[in-house]
Amino acid sequence: MAVTKNFLLNPTDTLRVAMQRVSANREGFAAVVDAHNKLLGTFCDMDGRNAMLRGVSFDEAVESVMAKKTTRLARLPGELVIDKGAVTGVSVIDRPPVDAVVMAGGKGTRLRSVTGNVPKPLLSLGSSTILERIMARMATAGVEHTWLSVNYRAAMFQRKIGDGSSVGLAVDYLREDVPLGNAGALSLLPKKGPSTVFITNADLITGLDYQRLFDFHRCHGGPITMAAANFTTHVKYGVVRTTKTGVLEGMDEKPELNFLCNAGMYVVNRDVLKLVPKRKFFQMPELLDAVQRRGQDVHVFPMYEKWVDAGSPEEFQQVLIEFATGVES
């Protein structure tokens, strides 16, 4: 296809602009060119995420993190068309299929004052529910088959979602006779299917294009990738720094601290699911530990997109306000 603005970057464009550009083109990569469209390098979403992990500012120029003069993006399904050194087109291919599992077996006790008898994933946001928004985003990202893990109020989920046709997916159900934690239901998943499985909690509100997470996982080639959201907190006191002998070195007045926190979304290779015990209570941190005990890496996908785990009434009310005022992306 013909190359468009969203597939082109100037070397002096900021990392922020680059991430916005590759998000807008929906393929996750772009060419870095000079004023005459001569190829200088390539940039993909993964380059930006890895730069985030290294602490690179979004105000840095994209030339500092681009891959130089690479026309074939082996780590992504795309190729630049070059004529006499200039970028004239982009060629993309279909990505491999991904199964998905949505964990909806919890009771949502922290939001009981808001939810009443309605499970949190089925609470309405705008014209649809939290769960329907998640599933619609998965369909947009190329997921075709989703397994919905249910326990509490299982019949309500089946009435609302049915076979998934209303959200563009084929949906089957994993039924927990007893609570299995946020990973135990993975033991119920069929052994055969796509080699990659996306796992998400059913109550997350995010602006993430899941395809970026899938690409990141495939590019790193590891067995499991965990999404991590940026979380900022303010300490309301002066934080004291001392030497080992207790002498004051300095004090930071009400500092702002930033952390990467587990975002409740994972991509795993299907063979990893063999580590989940059959029909036993099992949590995702236990699965991560099991992978690391095998000597394998767990990769972290840093997010800059909107992410909310509306776990408290206050958080959920804030989300409702954002929807009502049009702030939600």
Side-chain angles (χ1 to χ4, degrees):
M1 62 181 175
V3 67
T4 63
K5 178 182 177 181
N6 283 334
F7 281 98
L8 298 175
L9 291 164
N10 296 319
T12 55
D13 283 337
T14 64
L15 183 56
R16 178 178 292 102
V17 168
M19 293 298 279
Q20 291 170 345
R21 198 75 52 85
V22 299
S23 174
N25 69 35
R26 296 301 310 280
E27 295 297 338
F29 69 91
V32 183
V33 298
D34 65 12
H36 304 288
N37 272 18
K38 295 287 186 180
L39 181 67
L40 302 175
T42 57
F43 173 84
C44 68
D45 183 88
M46 185 183 71
D47 296 327
R49 307 278 175 179
N50 287 338
M52 290 171 61
L53 290 172
R54 298 195 303 270
V56 177
S57 168
F58 262 28
D59 294 322
E60 287 289 325
V62 70
E63 62 183 344
S64 67
V65 299
M66 71 180 185
K68 295 184 179 179
K69 298 211 171 183
T70 304
T71 59
R72 172 63 184 168
L73 302 182
R75 59 196 190 280
L76 285 176
E79 185 174 352
L80 302 174
V81 180
I82 308 296
D83 182 17
K84 297 179 181 178
V87 179
T88 59
V90 176
S91 175
V92 296
I93 60 176
D94 292 335
R95 292 166 168 85
V98 176
D99 262 358
V101 180
V102 182
M103 296 297 183
K107 293 186 176 181
T109 53
R110 290 183 297 164
L111 267 183
R112 186 59 55 81
S113 63
V114 175
T115 63
N117 291 323
V118 178
K120 183 167 59 169
L122 295 183
L123 291 176
S124 294
L125 285 180
S127 60
S128 64
T129 64
I130 296 175
L131 179 58
E132 288 173 305
R133 287 176 55 81
I134 291 173
M135 289 186 158
R137 280 187 175 274
M138 291 194 301
T140 301
V143 174
E144 296 180 356
H145 194 171
T146 296
W147 300 85
L148 185 59
S149 173
V150 293
N151 180 348
Y152 175 69
R153 302 285 180 179
M156 294 184 68
F157 286 100
Q158 190 153 11
R159 285 197 299 271
K160 184 66 177 178
I161 303 300
D163 64 1
S165 56
S166 63
V167 289
L169 296 169
V171 175
D172 284 303
Y173 294 83
L174 303 176
R175 302 185 185 280
E176 303 180 24
D177 297 328
V178 295
L180 297 177
N182 59 18
L186 296 175
S187 67
L188 306 177
L189 201 67
K191 294 181 179 179
K192 293 184 179 180
S195 61
T196 305
V197 180
F198 172 52
I199 303 162
T200 179
N201 293 346
D203 52 7
L204 302 179
I205 302 161
T206 179
L208 174 67
D209 180 347
Y210 297 136
Q211 190 61 257
R212 302 287 75 78
L213 174 57
F214 304 163
D215 288 343
F216 186 94
H217 175 76
R218 283 192 291 264
C219 293
H220 280 87
I224 186 166
T225 299
M226 175 180 67
N230 188 61
F231 178 76
T232 301
T233 186
H234 296 266
V235 179
K236 63 180 181 179
Y237 305 107
V239 175
V240 175
R241 290 179 281 107
T242 69
T243 66
K244 292 181 179 180
T245 58
V247 176
L248 180 68
E249 282 188 329
M251 187 168 63
D252 301 316
E253 188 62 29
K254 299 180 180 179
E256 179 180 285
L257 303 178
N258 294 288
F259 304 95
L260 282 176
C261 298
N262 187 345
M265 295 180 287
Y266 312 84
V267 184
V268 306
N269 293 344
R270 205 177 197 95
D271 65 352
V272 167
L273 303 182
K274 298 175 183 177
L275 300 174
V276 180
K278 290 288 185 182
R279 297 184 180 275
K280 291 185 178 180
F281 189 89
F282 197 69
Q283 300 281 56
M284 283 302 301
E286 295 177 274
L287 181 58
L288 301 179
D289 289 343
V291 168
Q292 290 180 313
R293 284 197 301 271
R294 295 200 306 187
Q296 296 177 296
D297 292 330
V298 174
H299 288 101
V300 175
F301 172 88
M303 293 174 56
Y304 66 89
E305 294 87 349
K306 176 186 178 67
W307 177 88
V308 179
D309 174 14
S312 70
E314 294 77 17
E315 289 170 325
F316 186 69
Q317 291 297 336
Q318 180 60 39
V319 171
L320 290 177
I321 291 172
E322 290 180 3
F323 268 84
T325 57
V327 174
E328 197 275 338
S329 61

